[in-house]
Amino acid sequence: MRMRFTAKARRVTVALTVVAGLALGSAACGGGGDDDAKKPQNSSSASTSGGSQPNPQEGESAAPIAEMKGPSGLLLQITSAVRDTGGFVTVNGALKNDGGEVATIPSALSGNETEIMNNGRSLGGATLVDSKSKKRYYVLRDTEGRPLTTTGFSTLKAGETIDVFLQFPAPPASSTEVTFQLPLFPSAVIKISG
């Protein structure tokens, strides 16, 4: 009888852990909601990780709000930085190979945190710096340590462009301008809308 009770208790504990993990993951990602169900999947030529990702086209303006040139002819254009009601900021843009040869995406763009690097190439090394409140914000992660940013790309052909997104915790509402930083790229001041 004691073994039967222990096995049952173990199953209940595992079930509660799974439910708590799902609830925490849902809360950390802004709750999901009906908006995520209406967003189309990103259809770029580079592979990206699955799951519910923001549509990089959403909230984009005609002209980039920032443009940064990186190594190997890489060009990052930020088209929007939108404050969401869930307490985070989504930065949308495009990463382009502006050079004449295939560009290998440097691993430094993923940052140097082991948990993020274990999930493949990404823009997980990016940060937002709020000089007004003197804080630095890192790319958010899901409950399994995957960065909430475009992932899974390792090369770009000459002239190829992929849409990218990054999600950060939102700075205070009074902070409308932040400095976007990505390893190997110059910094750029961007304006947060919303």
Side-chain angles (χ1 to χ4, degrees):
M1 176 158 155
R2 182 173 178 92
M3 287 196 44
R4 189 177 299 162
F5 175 74
T6 305
K8 185 175 181 181
R10 193 174 300 136
R11 284 194 302 267
V12 169
T13 302
V14 169
L16 288 175
T17 303
V18 168
V19 168
L22 290 173
L24 182 61
S26 176
C29 293
D34 292 334
D35 292 341
D36 288 342
K38 296 175 187 172
K39 294 179 185 174
Q41 289 287 341
N42 179 11
S43 59
S44 64
S45 58
S47 64
T48 57
S49 65
S52 62
Q53 298 178 349
N55 182 354
Q57 302 298 322
E58 187 174 288
E60 285 188 11
S61 58
I65 59 173
E67 195 169 88
M68 296 151 281
K69 293 186 179 186
S72 306
L74 293 175
L75 176 68
L76 179 62
Q77 295 177 319
I78 297 177
T79 53
S80 68
V82 180
R83 185 185 306 272
D84 295 303
T85 56
F88 52 91
V89 170
T90 301
V91 175
N92 292 302
L95 183 63
K96 179 180 182 182
N97 178 357
D98 222 13
E101 299 178 6
V102 173
T104 300
I105 305 301
S107 60
L109 300 188
S110 299
N112 58 7
E113 293 183 46
T114 305
E115 191 173 39
I116 290 180
M117 292 184 340
N118 287 341
N119 286 292
R121 296 282 165 89
S122 71
L123 302 177
T127 58
L128 293 181
V129 177
D130 178 11
S131 57
K132 189 174 183 180
S133 63
K134 297 181 172 70
K135 289 188 177 179
R136 178 183 305 266
Y137 299 92
Y138 294 86
V139 170
L140 290 169
R141 299 171 213 182
D142 67 14
T143 56
E144 295 176 7
R146 292 182 299 238
L148 298 182
T149 179
T150 306
T151 61
F153 53 95
S154 58
T155 60
L156 286 178
K157 298 174 189 167
E160 183 178 12
T161 301
I162 60 167
D163 293 326
V164 296
F165 82 95
L166 309 94
Q167 288 186 324
F168 300 90
S174 59
S175 298
T176 57
E177 286 189 346
V178 291
T179 303
F180 178 87
Q181 297 179 333
L182 182 66
L184 307 179
F185 284 77
S187 299
V189 174
I190 59 174
K191 187 171 179 64
I192 299 174
S193 61

